[in-house]
Each structure stands twice: as C-alpha cells, then as structure tokens.
Amino acid sequence: AQSVSQHNHHVILSEAASLELGCNYSYGGTVNLFWYVQYPGQHLQLLLKYFSGDPLVKGIKGFEAEFIKSKFSFNLRKPSVQWSDTAEYFCAVNFYGQNFVFGPGTRLSVLP
Amino acid sequence: EAQVTQNPRYLITVTGKKLTVTCSQNMNHEYMSWYRQDPGLGLRQIYYSMNVEVTDKGDVPEGYKVSRKEKRNFPLILESPSPNQTSLYFCASSFAGYEQYFGPGTRLTVT
C-alpha cells in the first residue's frame, strides 16, 4: 500500500530559527506532492504543491519545498520561523492521479 | 465563492442514533473524500469518491457509509454511532490529482 511518512512528530524552535520538516513517500511513479498547514482550531490549508518542473517550489508565507525524486522525498523548509507559524504540518501525496495519502503530521511549536 | 461546506459544524448525539453529516462543494470537483482527525493519530481517510457513483474505502471505513449521487454532494452516514466515532471530521474535494480543498470540519461527540 502507498504510504507517506514524516520524520518528526513534534518540533520545537525559537523564533528566527530555520525549519526543515521531512517527508518521504513509498515507491516512485507519477506523484503530485503537497504540504498543508493546520493552524489551531482551523481546517487544512494548502502551503505549496509540486506537479512537475523545477524541483524547488515556493509557497505562501515564505515556505519552500524540495522534491528529490531519487530519495522519494519532499521536505519543507523555511529560513526563519515566526511565532505565527505554530501549527500542524501535513505532507500529502497523490499517486497516479488517484487517491491522496496524508502523512501523520508534524506539530511545530515556535517559542517567542 | 469557491468552498466546501459541511453541516452540522457541531453535533452531540447518543449511541445508536443514526446521523448524517453533509458535505457540498461548488467547484465541480470530481474527487471528494472524508477524513477523521484524532489527537496523535493525524488525518485518517474514511471513504473517498473519484466521481459520481464511484466510492471506495479509505483506511478506517468501519461504521461509516457514503453515497455520491450528485457531483457536488458527498454525505457521510453513521448508521449506529458509537463513542469511538467521537472525532473531528473533514470533507475535502479536488480535481483528480490536484490540491484538495477542505471544509471547516464537523466536531462529533457520541455519548
């Protein structure tokens, strides 16, 4: 079965620290890749997406992600986090234009 | 405004009393899906639908039913709710392969 894993369950950072959240998915083939963010008490919102082309994609709020096909990875980065980035982050993969699979999520806490 | 709506947003019910949570989207999306979110367990998919009259089980389908008679609607039915179905439920929709749009969530409590 297709699966998506995220490296960290809970990450705690101070403001201005750099962030990298890992995401790996099973198998290769045609995939579309996504990162979603869920702020406390809210629904999931799209941060960024990758379909094809430049493997470094930029999203909203200063986030970016890099697709490394050989490693089946799609890691999320931000050079300098803010307190307002405190949220849960989900990596998601769409396999072959069919069903979506979500990773288990990473909770990010940013200390002021 | 493009959106996914869910009703009700909050529901408290008793064990065994059938309920339906509605989901509707106005974006002409083929794909729709239901998830439940529980602390420490992330998002788990219940059912999904690739198009009208096409539905399939997700990771945790037991105790749930769905139907997709129209493209815009994808109701979630709990025939006999139990306390372990107390959760936060999200509906989502998308064009096949593209980003999903999520509804605001339905918080269900079964006593």
Side-chain angles (χ1 to χ4, degrees):
Chain A
Q2 295 129 352
S3 65
V4 178
S5 62
Q6 293 183 232
H7 301 177
N8 308 98
H9 179 65
H10 188 193
V11 173
I12 303 173
L13 295 172
S14 298
E15 274 193 316
S18 64
L19 169 71
E20 180 158 3
L21 301 182
C23 171
N24 286 87
Y25 60 95
S26 62
Y27 184 44
T30 304
V31 293
N32 291 338
L33 302 160
F34 309 87
W35 276 97
Y36 286 85
V37 60
Q38 185 180 30
Y39 298 105
Q42 296 188 26
H43 63 283
L44 276 76
Q45 303 168 46
L46 183 70
L47 264 182
L48 47 77
K49 59 189 177 186
Y50 174 79
F51 294 161
S52 64
D54 188 343
L56 185 62
V57 292
K58 295 193 184 301
I60 60 172
K61 307 189 182 195
F63 285 91
E64 63 179 33
E66 184 177 13
F67 170 52
I68 303 179
K69 189 174 182 179
S70 61
K71 295 184 178 180
F72 306 127
S73 71
F74 189 55
N75 292 354
L76 181 71
R77 299 196 288 247
K78 186 171 185 179
S80 175
V81 295
Q82 302 171 314
W83 178 79
S84 57
D85 293 323
T86 294
E88 188 143 20
Y89 292 82
F90 293 91
C91 179
V93 181
N94 181 269
F95 293 88
Y96 315 111
Q98 298 295 312
N99 196 21
F100 285 84
V101 179
F102 277 81
T106 297
R107 186 155 63 100
L108 173 65
S109 298
V110 180
L111 307 176
Chain B
E1 179 192 354
Q3 59 182 350
V4 178
T5 56
Q6 294 179 228
N7 283 292
R9 294 288 313 279
Y10 302 91
L11 179 60
I12 302 173
T13 190
V14 296
T15 300
K17 185 176 180 181
K18 181 179 178 180
L19 66 93
T20 299
V21 184
T22 64
C23 173
S24 184
Q25 50 92 7
N26 62 1
M27 295 167 278
N28 203 34
H29 287 162
E30 305 98 353
Y31 178 94
M32 297 186 75
S33 182
W34 276 103
Y35 300 89
R36 61 178 287 175
Q37 186 175 29
D38 303 288
L41 296 177
L43 273 178
R44 293 182 292 169
Q45 190 180 51
I46 303 170
Y47 271 94
Y48 67 98
S49 169
M50 295 300 299
N51 214 322
V52 175
E53 303 290 3
V54 181
T55 63
D56 210 344
K57 295 177 181 178
D59 300 316
V60 289
E62 295 78 20
Y64 304 94
K65 284 176 56 177
V66 292
S67 68
R68 187 92 182 272
K69 293 184 170 57
E70 305 164 284
K71 201 170 190 179
R72 63 182 295 126
N73 296 323
F74 191 44
L76 179 70
I77 303 156
L78 284 72
E79 294 266 2
S80 183
S82 62
N84 65 13
Q85 293 177 298
T86 292
S87 188
L88 178 59
Y89 292 86
F90 288 103
C91 179
S93 74
S94 75
F95 291 116
Y98 289 82
E99 62 270 27
Q100 291 186 81
Y101 292 79
F102 282 81
T106 295
R107 188 167 291 283
L108 172 66
T109 302
V110 183
T111 60

